[in-house]
Amino acid sequence: MGMTDSQRQAITQMLDTAEDLDRWRLRAHRIEQPERGSDLAQDDQIFEWMPISEVVRLSLVASGEHLRLALDAVKAEQLYPSSHFTVLRGALVGASQAVWILAPDEQVARRERGLTVIAEMYAQMGKYYNFLETTALEADDQTRLSDQKLWLAERSAQVAARKNTGATLNLTDVIGSAVDTTFPDRRAREALRGLWRQMSADAHVLGWSMFQRATFGPPDRRTGLGEGKAGGVPELVAEPFLGSYRLLKRGWSLFDQRCEAR
């Protein structure tokens, strides 16, 4: 069976992003430091051990990497009813996180958001180190782990001392804010908010998202249950793909703007 016009259009729109995605891939191969006197150069001074510009750049690079993986599958003519969306969820998070940090014109807001992401990074690293303590480690590894935990505690305290609030990272709020600053159309904003929540089911292997994408046959008279079929649908993959791509494009634009000297 051939593709419908709608399916063909969805595939074409995703393929059309390849040039930008490859250009951003090449940018990831080198460190890009903000120009002296730029917004990000000044933002970076708040915490020199983990520059906010690098937090943003990592978010942008990771988002592009997820989108390229999703596009590689499309190029191979493989569409997946669940795993495509776990990849696209990562793309959405990375792009949104960068836009969220970079969007405010107020330096205080950008710094607070950047430090909030760093604090979450350290908090999750701390949980991993606590887990390692429960495993069988050689003596030398135990010593290195103890040293690393002391280092992490120092850095975490330094971040906390520089933050103005006790706010923690809330990705739902981050994505909502990034979507609001990127998409003027209300329906597009609501659609991406909905996709963020729906794709969480794919990431956590909870089937309700696939049920919503499936087609169902008539229910069995005895049990009342119907057979559902969920395949890869170009239009359904394209929606979060293109939304994340537009957020990523906005993120790179803001990054370049904030890196330029005034």
Side-chain angles (χ1 to χ4, degrees):
M1 178 183 292
M3 286 192 294
T4 65
D5 289 343
S6 176
Q7 291 172 338
R8 190 175 296 106
Q9 182 182 23
I11 295 291
T12 299
Q13 287 177 321
M14 288 188 282
L15 292 175
D16 284 345
T17 68
E19 184 176 349
D20 281 340
L21 292 176
D22 194 57
R23 178 164 52 86
W24 295 329
R25 176 186 65 82
L26 295 175
R27 289 186 66 170
H29 291 178
R30 65 185 188 276
I31 298 294
E32 296 187 26
Q33 294 184 333
E35 295 178 354
R36 181 175 298 180
S38 66
D39 288 341
L40 271 174
Q42 296 177 40
D43 294 345
D44 286 351
Q45 295 173 12
I46 192 70
F47 192 67
E48 60 269 32
W49 298 281
M50 185 68 181
I52 290 173
S53 62
E54 276 302 294
V55 174
V56 170
R57 204 174 72 92
L58 177 61
S59 299
L60 294 170
V61 169
S63 176
E65 182 179 302
H66 282 72
L67 282 175
R68 291 201 313 276
L69 178 58
L71 188 61
D72 285 346
V74 173
K75 291 178 178 177
E77 300 183 357
Q78 297 294 322
L79 294 174
Y80 299 95
S82 179
S83 59
H84 237 125
F85 299 95
T86 65
V87 173
L88 291 172
R89 191 174 190 261
L92 179 61
V93 171
S96 296
Q97 188 164 272
V99 171
W100 179 68
I101 294 173
L102 293 171
D105 289 327
E106 302 79 13
Q107 182 186 76
V108 171
R110 292 195 306 273
R111 284 182 165 185
E112 185 69 14
R113 291 178 178 189
L115 290 171
T116 297
V117 174
I118 295 170
E120 178 67 12
M121 183 188 306
Y122 286 161
Q124 296 303 322
M125 193 184 303
K127 292 178 181 179
Y128 175 65
Y129 289 162
N130 290 337
F131 161 74
L132 288 181
E133 279 190 324
T134 68
T135 64
L137 295 175
E138 300 293 337
D140 289 346
D141 292 332
Q142 290 176 344
T143 300
R144 281 192 289 269
L145 178 59
S146 296
D147 292 343
Q148 194 69 9
K149 290 193 69 175
L150 289 173
W151 169 87
L152 181 60
E154 180 182 2
R155 289 289 182 265
S156 298
Q158 289 166 334
V159 171
R162 287 161 171 79
K163 280 175 58 50
N164 294 319
T165 71
T168 57
L169 189 65
N170 183 315
L171 285 178
T172 298
D173 292 344
V174 166
I175 287 162
S177 176
V179 165
D180 286 345
T181 63
T182 303
F183 297 91
D185 182 66
R186 176 182 175 181
R187 286 178 295 182
R189 297 196 301 268
E190 290 177 347
L192 274 174
R193 279 186 167 92
L195 285 167
W196 160 248
R197 296 181 182 277
Q198 185 188 71
M199 291 188 296
S200 69
D202 299 293
H204 295 95
V205 198
L206 300 173
W208 64 264
S209 56
M210 290 182 62
F211 300 159
Q212 293 190 333
R213 303 181 194 116
T215 56
F216 289 88
D220 182 91
R221 291 182 179 180
R222 182 174 56 85
T223 64
L225 299 177
E227 179 181 322
K229 295 182 179 180
V233 180
E235 297 95 329
L236 295 180
V237 173
E239 188 174 12
F241 183 101
L242 295 172
S244 299
Y245 164 76
R246 287 183 61 186
L247 279 163
L248 182 58
K249 190 172 185 177
R250 173 65 172 157
W252 276 113
S253 176
L254 282 169
F255 180 77
D256 290 339
Q257 173 188 328
R258 300 295 184 197
C259 281
E260 291 180 358
R262 290 182 178 274

